[in-house]
Amino acid sequence: MKPAKDYIIFPLDVSSMEAAMKWVELLGDRVGLFKIGLELFIRLGPAVVRTINETGGAGVFLDLKLHDIPNTVNRAMRGIVDLGVKFVTVHCGDSPRMLEAAVEGSQGKVDVLGVTVLTSVSPGDIKAIGYRQDYYSDMNRLVLDKAAMARDAGCAGVVCSGLEAPGIKSRLGPKFTAVIPGIRPLWSLHRKDDQERVVTPAAAVRNGADYLVIGRPIRDADQPVQAVKMVADEIRDAVQSHRP
Ligand code: C5P
């Protein structure tokens, strides 16, 4: 069984090396991966990836959410493969060609994840922009179609909400990785934020999540180490009670 901590991806949503390293030191042996997103990467670039890798603790998930013409994404990916990261994200977008170019550029050295529909997006948003009724009345369908496109293009998995994970696992198979952001433990629900399609850590695991991205419930907790421990306990209980 995968250790509970290895399910946890902690996003380093901070803007300095000092702040990032504070979290890396605090949580390096309590989470599976650190996620570097646009905020940190724009400020510090590849140096922050190297610095975190040198600590020898949790590895790096580079969440750049690439979205451009296939040639540009392919060339960006060729630079990323040398950084030594476990995952990199590309938006699923509107055609498979960008995803295929990303996978080709990854040269088998990094796992490419397709971002399906952000967990901050609601059915009302999808409707307002003119999507078909079957997509806004059932977001699962839109996420599943994007995930199938990512799988067919050779992606290792997708980023989706915990609500859509069961459909992804049953349609695309257990080996197709589901990374789930929008994780909100019951004890954190009093804080309302920009996430819309949220689930608890236990529900995410029951629904088939391979990884859980969980930021603010840990970062904003009075005692972050205690918070990450509570998340790991909840994951462990869910995995054990869910074993066949
Ligand atoms: O748990 P919290 O909401 O603080 O997590 C925020 C992090 O999750 C951000 O780094 C954001 O980029 C990431 N995220 C994501 N995909 C989504 C929603 C959030 O990678 N669909």
Side-chain angles (χ1 to χ4, degrees):
M1 186 180 98
K2 177 162 106 171
K5 82 172 181 64
D6 287 350
Y7 282 81
I8 303 174
I9 299 176
F10 182 75
L12 294 169
D13 291 331
V14 293
S15 55
S16 70
M17 185 73 89
E18 194 189 5
M21 294 316 286
K22 188 195 106 187
W23 287 109
V24 169
E25 276 156 32
L26 195 65
L27 303 180
D29 56 0
R30 294 184 167 91
V31 302
L33 292 169
F34 288 109
K35 184 168 86 69
I36 296 177
L38 290 174
E39 180 182 358
L40 197 57
F41 199 75
I42 284 170
R43 286 187 186 263
L44 301 177
V48 68
V49 179
R50 284 191 214 103
T51 306
I52 293 173
N53 278 339
E54 278 163 13
T55 66
V60 173
F61 170 169
L62 190 58
D63 186 24
L64 297 184
K65 295 190 174 75
L66 302 175
H67 192 176
D68 210 312
I69 61 170
N71 183 56
T72 302
V73 168
N74 182 275
R75 294 173 69 91
M77 198 60 82
R78 286 176 180 275
I80 287 168
V81 295
D82 296 326
L83 296 178
V85 299
K86 163 117 182 94
F87 292 121
V88 63
T89 49
V90 180
H91 274 287
C92 288
D94 310 307
S95 101
R97 291 186 295 284
M98 177 176 65
L99 293 167
E100 287 160 5
V103 171
E104 204 268 337
S106 74
Q107 302 161 70
K109 294 181 188 164
V110 54
D111 286 343
V112 178
L113 298 176
V115 177
T116 55
V117 180
L118 294 171
T119 44
S120 54
V121 172
S122 70
D125 295 325
I126 295 290
K127 182 177 182 186
I129 202 125
Y131 270 81
R132 295 184 340 217
Q133 197 213 336
D134 58 339
Y135 279 154
Y136 67 73
S137 58
D138 180 9
M139 293 265 288
N140 253 304
R141 197 168 177 149
L142 178 58
V143 171
L144 264 175
D145 283 353
K146 286 189 179 241
M149 186 168 77
R151 198 269 318 262
D152 293 348
C155 290
V158 285
V159 182
C160 63
S161 95
L163 304 173
E164 296 108 25
I168 285 175
K169 288 290 175 175
S170 66
R171 178 160 156 196
L172 303 176
K175 289 200 176 135
F176 191 63
T177 301
V179 175
I180 312 296
I183 302 292
R184 292 293 176 264
L186 291 177
W187 46 262
S188 74
L189 280 177
H190 60 284
R191 292 195 179 103
K192 175 69 187 145
D193 54 41
D194 57 351
Q195 297 283 21
E196 290 282 345
R197 301 185 340 272
V198 302
V199 296
T200 63
V205 168
R206 280 197 303 271
N207 285 355
D210 297 291
Y211 294 91
L212 284 61
V213 178
I214 175 159
R216 282 166 287 185
I218 295 170
R219 206 175 69 213
D220 297 343
D222 294 336
Q223 296 186 49
V225 170
Q226 181 61 20
V228 84
K229 191 175 170 306
M230 277 158 48
V231 170
D233 288 346
E234 187 174 334
I235 291 170
R236 191 175 307 106
D237 288 349
V239 171
Q240 281 169 355
S241 61
H242 216 61
R243 270 169 143 179

